Amino acid sequence: MQWKRRIALWSGAILVALAAILFAKASNWAYALFQRILAHGSWIPLLITPVVFGLLAWATEGRLRATRGSGIPQVIATMHIEDEGFRERMLALPIAACKMLLTLIALTVGASIGREGPTVHVGAGLFYSLGRRFGFTDPKAASRFILAGGAAGIAAAFNTPLAGVVFAIEELAGTFEHRFSGLLLTAVIVGGVVSLGIMGNYSYFGEVRASLVLGHAWLAVLLCGVICGLLGGLFARLILLSRNGPLAMVGRLRARWPVLFAAGCGLALAVIGVLSHNSVYGTGYDQARAFVQEASTTPGESFGIVKLLANVVSYWAGIPGGIFSPALAVGAGLGHNIAHLLPHAPEAAVVLLGMSAYLSGVTGAPLTSAVIAMELTDNQDMVIPIMAACLLARAAASIFSPTPVYKDFAERMVRDFERLQEEKSVNESESQVLPAPLKKP
């Protein structure tokens, strides 16, 4: 059994790393195709984006409903619900394959989404299916495979092995057991070796050698933590579509006319794209890299806010796609704006603080956000300022979003499942109580 477990882990980690690399290459190709389409006219998204958004909403109404959104809430929900049928619906290999395909289609029409959340979903699905094939059908064992798959997914997506482990502990599991450590480390290390061998040793945003002196550091930490944290919490509240208040009406419209609503979101995204000179489409990777590397050409002063709006309407559409990369892009844009208030502080350092603080505000995971920001830029000089900004941002974000966004979505899935189970048990009990129909003489 020990060797079967090792073989399953090694095989799963290799498959997840290969899937993540393939997904990353395909995502770049899909967005490059959109850029070529866009070169023929900035008005083209006004026609194609609403249509494809509507088709994606229609395609995910039935059996493919589990492919909607980022995929991380689905993984968290399967960690808490040990029902085999529920896990199969959320993590089956066809779901993972369709998740990748539909995300690529969305990127081909300029959706403001990321691929990292879907990669976590795919990684968990691959590990879960592989574990079952090797005979690990016990619910507790399956939970460990799901957790390891999610960790390998985020590590392979960003090439950030430490962030993969921290993300699994802080976001997916919410706790840590010593029995998880070997699974997590094995999955992340093997996947990291495969990624390193194919892609080489690289930093997602390139190497950033930025630092802050003590006085400037804490002023930048305060501004980035509060401003980016508040806006991150506001974004989380907007996409959660609470059942009470003004956002409840948006949720009811989406539930009643999902296809038309998604098409309307696609049109809104295209309008934002036209007004922003086509800067808000896609993951936002190029724009964030331009800010953090202090490139001579950047998207502009309004990028942070308009990208935030583009992220909201893309997520409201209910199509497959994550929020990690777009959130980093928004944070970079906001950090660029805040840097103008601190002329004596290095701009790249403030952008890095804004990026990590906004991500912390959105996800409610300050430790993961800090580690990701440091690994993405290969920067260890700003460990303390980044962690302080992330903690401050999480506190500020709780004003709008007390529960972390992924956890909130996952809790809704758990409640829906429990309600369906209760209704099913009530119907079964009623059918047993009802007397048998009388036979005609």
Side-chain angles (χ1 to χ4, degrees):
M1 291 300 293
Q2 289 291 338
W3 274 106
K4 285 178 68 176
R5 181 181 288 108
R6 291 185 184 121
I7 293 171
L9 283 171
W10 296 340
S11 303
I14 293 171
L15 287 174
V16 170
L18 292 175
I21 293 170
L22 176 64
F23 194 23
K25 296 287 187 182
S27 298
N28 294 336
W29 178 86
Y31 186 63
L33 176 60
F34 173 73
Q35 294 281 49
R36 287 197 293 271
I37 295 171
L38 200 60
H40 294 285
S42 59
W43 53 269
I44 296 178
L46 294 169
L47 300 177
I48 63 171
T49 304
V51 173
V52 175
F53 271 38
L55 289 173
L56 289 172
W58 173 79
T60 56
E61 270 295 291
R63 293 183 178 181
L64 296 181
R65 193 172 186 84
T67 63
R68 288 186 168 187
S70 77
I72 294 176
Q74 289 89 324
V75 176
I76 297 174
T78 56
M79 293 287 297
H80 291 84
I81 298 176
E82 296 182 348
D83 180 79
E84 186 176 329
F86 178 81
R87 285 178 167 177
E88 188 66 23
R89 288 196 301 275
M90 293 292 166
L91 301 175
L93 288 180
I95 293 295
C98 290
K99 182 83 168 187
M100 295 174 69
L101 176 62
L102 296 176
T103 302
L104 293 175
I105 293 173
L107 286 171
T108 307
V109 294
S112 183
I113 55 174
R115 58 174 172 82
E116 292 75 24
T119 306
V120 172
H121 196 176
V122 170
L126 286 171
F127 262 71
Y128 173 72
S129 300
L130 199 61
R132 288 179 58 79
R133 290 292 178 90
F134 276 82
F136 296 98
T137 56
D138 175 74
K140 295 295 182 185
S143 295
R144 297 186 188 109
F145 272 89
I146 292 169
L147 184 67
I154 200 71
F158 281 124
N159 192 32
T160 52
L162 181 58
V165 176
V166 174
F167 174 78
I169 298 169
E170 184 179 33
E171 195 69 73
L172 297 182
T175 185
F176 186 74
E177 296 182 24
H178 69 280
R179 287 175 296 178
F180 287 169
S181 59
L183 292 170
L184 287 175
L185 292 175
T186 301
V188 169
I189 289 171
V190 174
V193 169
V194 174
S195 178
L196 186 65
I198 297 176
M199 303 295 292
N201 188 16
Y202 72 97
S203 298
Y204 190 76
F205 286 125
E207 187 176 344
V208 178
R209 287 287 167 241
S211 60
L212 286 170
V213 296
L214 187 60
H216 294 148
W218 295 115
L219 183 56
V221 165
L222 179 64
L223 289 176
C224 290
V226 173
I227 296 173
C228 296
L230 287 173
L231 289 173
L234 178 61
F235 171 78
R237 174 49 53 196
L238 288 173
I239 67 172
L240 281 169
L241 292 178
S242 57
R243 295 173 183 174
N244 300 314
L247 292 175
M249 184 176 68
V250 179
R252 287 193 293 270
L253 287 173
R254 186 173 71 175
R256 188 168 183 180
W257 297 293
V259 176
L260 289 176
F261 184 84
C265 290
L267 180 60
L269 173 64
V271 170
I272 295 171
V274 171
L275 295 177
S276 65
H277 306 290
N278 305 324
S279 66
V280 298
Y281 297 117
T283 64
Y285 167 79
D286 292 331
Q287 292 87 342
R289 184 183 176 91
F291 281 128
V292 79
Q293 292 289 349
E294 297 185 81
S296 56
T297 303
T298 56
E301 302 303 321
S302 62
F303 173 77
I305 297 300
V306 293
K307 183 63 174 175
L308 189 154
L309 295 175
N311 294 348
V312 170
V313 296
S314 294
Y315 208 91
W316 274 0
I319 62 175
I323 59 177
F324 255 98
S325 286
L328 291 170
V330 172
L334 296 175
H336 176 72
N337 296 139
I338 295 171
H340 292 310
L341 304 175
L342 303 166
H344 300 294
E347 183 177 326
V350 181
V351 168
L352 189 54
L353 286 177
M355 186 188 299
S356 53
Y358 182 79
L359 182 63
S360 176
V362 170
T363 63
L367 187 56
T368 299
S369 303
V371 172
I372 282 180
M374 288 184 288
E375 286 195 287
L376 292 185
T377 55
D378 192 21
N379 187 309
Q380 286 81 41
D381 296 335
M382 293 183 58
V383 173
I384 300 301
I386 287 174
M387 293 186 69
C390 288
L391 289 171
L392 186 58
R394 175 66 190 103
S398 63
I399 296 174
F400 292 111
S401 181
T403 305
V405 64
Y406 294 134
K407 184 179 178 182
D408 198 309
F409 279 127
E411 287 177 351
R412 294 183 186 186
M413 293 180 185
V414 172
R415 287 196 298 269
D416 290 341
F417 173 78
E418 291 174 346
R419 188 184 70 253
L420 291 174
Q421 291 297 101
E422 289 176 1
E423 291 175 357
K424 183 179 178 181
S425 65
V426 168
N427 292 334
E428 289 177 352
S429 61
E430 288 178 350
S431 64
Q432 292 174 358
V433 171
L434 289 173
L438 294 174
K439 294 182 179 180
K440 292 182 178 180

